[in-house]
Amino acid sequence: MSDAAGRGYHALMRAKVLSSLRRLAVMNPFLTDLLFGVVVAGVTLTFGLVSFDGSVDPGHARRSLDVAGVALTLVANLALAWRRRAPVLVLMISCAAAIVFHAAGYDARLNGVAPLLALYTVAGRRAPAVSVPCVLLPVVSLWHAAFLGPDEFVWPNLAQTSIMVAVAWTFGNSTRMLVERNRRLAHLSERLRQEQEDRARRAVTEERVRIARELHDVVAHHMSVIVIQAGLARYVLGSDPATARGALTTIADTGSEAMGEMRRLLSVLRIDMDNLDNMDEDVDDYAPAPGLQRLDQLVERLRSAGLPVEVSITGQVRPLAPGIDLCAYRVVQECLTNVLKHAGPATARVSLHYGALLELRVTDDGRGAAATPQENGHGLIVIGERVKLYKGTVAAGSKPSGGFEVVVTLPLSSSHQDDQPPQSHGGPNT
């Protein structure tokens, strides 16, 4: 095996061992801590038994390591196996065992690691109000060992052990703060994910409501015209063929327009980045949404369906923002459709006033609200939802003189008042 292959093999084996240890630490923390305590105890005993060949070092020990010393060493170090479950108790046991070990005359350089590791665990798992007083335990243990050493090393040992205690507490407290911060970040991330899901659900719901509103406006208006014209054609088919042909023509034109709007709406729903490049192949599918510039066609269609409509426009006519323009058109469309369906023989009047606000007023002299069916009456609800999106107001009710009236106001932004010449909608002013 070549050197490069050997290095690769050893690196792979080290990676596998580290991965196995990490999995073990996650699955069984107690077993990991027990192994860690065994390692620390083994190193300590090896240092005490082998380094000095069983002889006593007069400068650091008055007693050689025997069974009692081994037992105290095992207690001080193997207690680390429970450091996560009872960190303060483990710190007390480790420090007490170390103090007894040193007071019995054993080597003062041994069993100083376990109290530091136990202090690190206390600082990492308990608040400073608990961990700071616990610093006294390893300080007492290590200072006691320092005073048992050679006189010339007492003060250096005191300084060294004090620094080691401070470092152990600092590292443990930093770990605790890091864990708490990560826990808070995880909690905030979960809240953010839930809020994003809630916003996504609300967006889907709002989009469904918008689509339902558009479908209602398109289908309800055009189908009302078609139903009325079909009834008229059936009624005069034998007696007045010309009127019947005109009604059928109106049905065909209205159906074609309804299909066009439905196709436009569905095409907008289907649009994605893959077919943006192909939009020029079927421009009609992405035609602009209707606005007040198509009010003439709407009025003519209602007139052909048998509803007399009068239009009045006052104020300085100017282009509107696309959303407000569509909203205004749909409001007029819905109001005239309701007059056609519910008012009976009546004349509808549409009034538009351009000022600081756009005021739409649709009135009729028909039967009024008392004769209007209450079931499935979504028209005014749809109008209210549309107008609310643009911070407008809606007022609807029967007139004292008879008939029904709907008044809608929509705020107009000055940013849409440009230099284009005024244009009229819906025919001449009356």
Side-chain angles (χ1 to χ4, degrees), residues 77-321:
N77 292 280
L78 295 184
L80 295 174
W82 289 269
R83 66 187 185 94
R84 304 191 201 196
R85 300 183 179 182
V88 177
L89 180 60
V90 168
L91 176 63
M92 295 173 62
I93 293 175
S94 296
C95 291
I99 291 174
V100 172
F101 180 87
H102 298 145
Y106 298 109
D107 197 330
R109 293 169 297 182
L110 302 180
N111 291 326
V113 176
L116 293 175
L117 293 175
L119 175 63
Y120 167 83
T121 304
V122 171
R125 304 181 75 86
R126 295 293 183 266
V130 176
S131 63
V132 170
C134 290
V135 171
L136 294 176
L137 296 175
V139 166
V140 170
S141 174
L142 295 176
W143 280 16
H144 175 253
F147 280 110
L148 294 177
D151 294 339
E152 64 272 19
F153 296 128
V154 170
W155 292 109
N157 287 341
L158 290 177
Q160 179 182 358
T161 55
S162 299
I163 293 173
M164 293 169 63
V165 169
V167 169
W169 184 89
T170 302
F171 280 7
N173 190 61
S174 300
T175 302
R176 179 188 60 82
M177 296 173 61
L178 180 61
V179 170
E180 290 181 354
R181 184 167 63 247
N182 290 339
R183 187 182 298 114
R184 288 194 298 268
L185 288 175
H187 177 68
L188 292 176
S189 299
E190 178 63 20
R191 286 183 54 187
L192 178 61
R193 184 189 64 81
Q194 293 178 355
E195 291 176 359
Q196 289 176 340
E197 291 180 354
D198 292 340
R199 283 197 297 268
R201 284 194 293 268
R202 286 196 298 269
V204 171
T205 301
E206 292 172 358
E207 185 66 12
R208 287 175 177 173
V209 171
R210 187 187 69 82
I211 295 170
R213 187 186 304 123
E214 289 290 331
L215 290 174
H216 173 272
D217 291 342
V218 171
V219 174
H221 169 74
H222 292 85
M223 291 306 297
S224 297
V225 174
I226 290 174
V227 169
I228 292 176
Q229 290 294 304
L232 174 63
R234 182 176 59 181
Y235 181 74
V236 300
L237 183 61
S239 59
D240 192 350
T243 302
R245 282 194 298 271
L248 293 175
T249 301
T250 301
I251 291 174
D253 294 341
T254 304
S256 298
E257 184 174 346
M259 290 298 298
E261 291 205 29
M262 291 286 290
R263 186 165 52 250
R264 176 188 62 80
L265 178 60
L266 296 177
S267 297
V268 170
L269 294 178
R270 294 193 193 103
I271 188 172
D272 54 32
M273 296 304 296
D274 294 334
N275 59 25
L276 282 177
D277 296 335
N278 300 326
M279 287 179 62
D280 294 336
E281 298 177 4
D282 193 359
V283 179
D284 292 339
D285 286 348
Y286 302 96
L292 291 179
Q293 75 278 0
R294 291 174 55 179
L295 188 57
D296 289 331
Q297 302 175 20
L298 175 63
V299 169
E300 288 302 322
R301 187 164 59 247
L302 268 298
R303 286 171 178 167
S304 66
L307 176 66
V309 181
E310 299 176 1
V311 179
S312 173
I313 302 176
T314 58
Q316 183 181 1
V317 181
R318 56 187 182 272
L320 305 178

Side-chain angles (χ1 to χ4, degrees), residues 43-73:
V43 172
T44 302
L45 292 175
T46 301
F47 181 81
L49 294 173
V50 178
S51 297
F52 303 104
D53 296 328
S55 61
V56 175
D57 185 356
H60 295 90
R62 303 184 307 274
R63 182 176 176 181
S64 63
L65 195 61
D66 52 17
V67 176
V70 172
L72 289 172
T73 300

